[in-house]
Amino acid sequence: MSSIHKNLNYPDNQRGWVLVVGLVILVMLTILSMALMKTTRLEEKMAGATRDMNLSFQAAESALRATETFIELQTVESFFDTTDMLYGIYNQTDDEPENLFTEVWDDENSKAVFADVAGALQGVTLSPRYMIKKLEKIDDATVFRVTVRGTGGTNNRATLLRSHYAKVFGADSSGPEGRLSWEQLFPSQ
C-alpha cells in the first residue's frame, strides 16, 4: 500500500522547477513590457515633434501668403522706398538681420501677421512674423524678397520661408508678376 500511496502523491524528486520556470517567464515578460513602454514613449515624442514641425510650416506658409497679398494690395511703389518697421519693410539700401535663426524676431526688425485676429492660427504659440526687402526692377516689375518665420506649438521649433515676389505698379507696365520662387531656409544657409 505504501507504493500506491507514493505514486498518487507528488513524487519525491520534485524540487520546485515549476516555480523557477514561472519566475523566468515573469522576468522575460517584465523585460518585454519595459521595452514596449520605452518604444511607445519614443513614438509619442516623435509624433509630437512632427506635429510641431507641421504647425510651424503651416504658420510660415500662411504668413508668406498674407505678406504677398499685402504687397499686391499696395498701389504705389514709393511705399517701399523707406525702411519702416511698422510694416516690416527694408528698402534697397538697408539689410535685414544677418543670421535669421539666432536673431530675435520682434517689433524692432519684423512685423507680426494675424496678431490682431483672434484664433487665426490655432495651436501656434506666437504669431508668425515677416520682413520685406525691396530688391530691384525686372522690366517694369519691382522684385521683393519676403522672409517669414512661423513657430509651432512650442517656441522650440521655427520654420523660415523666403520668396521672391514681383509686383508691377501702374496699369500699362510689363514684367513678371506674382511669386517668382520660394525656399525653406535651414540654419546652414
Side-chain angles (χ1 to χ4, degrees):
M1 178 121 146
S2 67
S3 65
I4 295 175
H5 181 65
K6 266 187 166 180
N7 289 338
L8 292 177
N9 289 334
Y10 295 108
D12 290 338
N13 61 358
Q14 248 188 7
R15 304 203 190 259
W17 283 107
V18 172
L19 179 62
V20 171
V21 169
L23 287 175
V24 167
I25 290 173
L26 280 175
V27 167
M28 288 175 23
L29 288 173
T30 302
I31 292 171
L32 181 65
S33 65
M34 288 173 59
L36 289 174
M37 286 184 349
K38 186 176 180 180
T39 302
T40 302
R41 202 173 21 226
L42 178 66
E43 288 175 353
E44 284 180 3
K45 285 182 183 179
M46 289 170 41
T50 301
R51 179 182 181 275
D52 210 27
M53 179 181 65
N54 286 336
L55 278 173
S56 70
F57 184 82
Q58 290 172 8
E61 191 174 26
S62 297
L64 190 62
R65 289 182 184 272
T67 306
E68 290 171 349
T69 301
F70 171 77
I71 293 171
E72 195 58 40
L73 292 175
Q74 303 310 310
T75 56
V76 292
E77 182 180 357
S78 60
F79 181 80
F80 298 98
D81 288 341
T82 59
T83 297
D84 185 356
M85 287 306 108
L86 181 63
Y87 296 105
I89 297 172
Y90 292 84
N91 64 21
Q92 286 180 310
T93 58
D94 292 334
D95 290 327
E96 303 114 317
E98 190 172 315
N99 190 341
L100 297 172
F101 286 92
T102 58
E103 184 72 26
V104 175
W105 287 59
D106 57 15
D107 291 336
E108 298 295 319
N109 60 13
S110 60
K111 169 83 170 139
V113 184
F114 310 122
D116 53 350
V117 181
L121 295 173
Q122 295 179 352
V124 176
T125 55
L126 296 174
S127 293
R129 302 189 75 86
Y130 70 85
M131 298 176 189
I132 301 171
K133 167 81 172 165
K134 181 179 178 182
L135 295 177
E136 59 188 32
K137 282 190 170 275
I138 299 176
D139 295 330
D140 291 330
T142 305
V143 178
F144 300 94
R145 179 173 54 221
V146 178
T147 308
V148 296
R149 178 183 187 267
T151 59
T154 65
N155 290 334
N156 298 334
R157 174 67 182 167
T159 298
L160 271 67
L161 298 179
R162 176 175 281 166
S163 76
H164 290 86
Y165 191 83
K167 162 88 166 139
V168 175
F169 295 94
D172 27 327
S173 302
S174 64
E177 278 198 276
R179 184 182 292 173
L180 302 175
S181 67
W182 78 274
E183 63 182 335
Q184 183 172 356
L185 302 178
F186 297 99
S188 62
Q189 291 180 325

